[in-house]
Amino acid sequence: QRPEQRSAEVNLLDGNLPAEFGGVKWPVMDVDVKGSLRHHVHEYLHTPGGDVESLDRKLYQITMQSVFHDVFPKWPDLYLALGDLMALFETGNSYPLHIPTVGTITAKCIEWDRRMVSKIKSGESATFVFIEVQDTAALAARTSLAIRASLTSSAAALATGSSRSRTATRRTTF
């Protein structure tokens, strides 16, 4: 690596906003936040298409790539922070995770890869994968409300004889 490339990398990391997990801060080079929705497709015999049932969102998954080298002036103990993070990850506990591009969520690290290259003597690179952990009491309350709302709407549909019920009856009656 040429000196000007190394200098640019050092300056880049020194200016980055830090990530933080369980009180340990470190600069990140790359952050990916994956969000998606759960759904189920209902398909009916002898009927084209189907219905998509929305099942709310999945848990966020965050992937962070970082380098833990001892050459960054603003991060003098950065390589030591890697050991602290490994100890936190191995507990399997959830902690506040500060994502520089999003904010703070509660999460746990589910994968951590470290990579050492023999010709680079100043440290290692690492990739961490976190998954959001939701408050179970709040989750149970939201689930209970969603189930009640679904039962109420199903009961109302049955009472009024929804068009789907009539269509299904017509198609199955010979």
Side-chain angles (χ1 to χ4, degrees):
Q1 196 175 39
R2 295 183 306 205
E4 61 272 9
Q5 286 177 317
R6 187 173 181 160
S7 173
E9 186 176 292
V10 169
N11 291 339
L12 173 70
L13 281 178
D14 278 349
N16 277 9
L17 295 174
E20 182 176 354
F21 182 71
V24 180
K25 292 182 179 182
W26 74 98
V28 292
M29 293 180 62
D30 189 46
V31 177
D32 293 317
V33 178
K34 181 179 179 180
S36 59
L37 295 175
R38 291 188 308 261
H39 67 280
H40 180 76
V41 177
H42 297 274
E43 295 179 347
Y44 305 100
L45 292 175
H46 312 293
T47 305
D51 287 328
V52 177
E53 179 181 3
S54 296
L55 301 173
D56 216 344
R57 74 169 176 83
K58 292 182 179 181
L59 297 172
Y60 286 112
Q61 186 169 319
I62 300 92
T63 302
M64 295 183 178
Q65 295 179 351
S66 300
V67 291
F68 291 84
H69 294 262
D70 59 7
V71 295
F72 305 120
K74 291 186 180 177
W75 300 94
D77 296 325
L78 185 57
Y79 193 69
L80 297 175
L82 181 57
D84 295 340
L85 286 168
M86 296 299 108
L88 286 173
F89 299 162
E90 290 176 359
T91 68
N93 293 335
S94 303
Y95 297 98
L97 170 66
H98 179 72
I99 307 162
T101 56
V102 176
T104 303
I105 65 169
T106 301
K108 66 171 49 182
C109 188
I110 57 171
E111 293 180 28
W112 51 95
D113 298 327
R114 295 171 64 167
R115 183 166 191 260
M116 186 277 300
V117 177
S118 63
K119 67 180 181 177
I120 299 174
K121 306 295 185 204
S122 61
E124 304 176 40
S125 61
T127 301
F128 307 137
V129 179
F130 297 91
I131 193 162
E132 175 186 22
V133 175
Q134 294 184 339
D135 175 24
T136 53
L139 181 61
R142 285 195 313 269
T143 302
S144 177
L145 289 173
I147 289 171
R148 282 190 204 135
S150 177
L151 290 174
T152 302
S153 66
S154 294
L158 286 174
T160 61
S162 72
S163 62
R164 165 162 284 141
S165 299
R166 287 192 303 271
T167 304
T169 303
R170 268 187 293 204
R171 289 195 176 140
T172 58
T173 305
F174 294 102

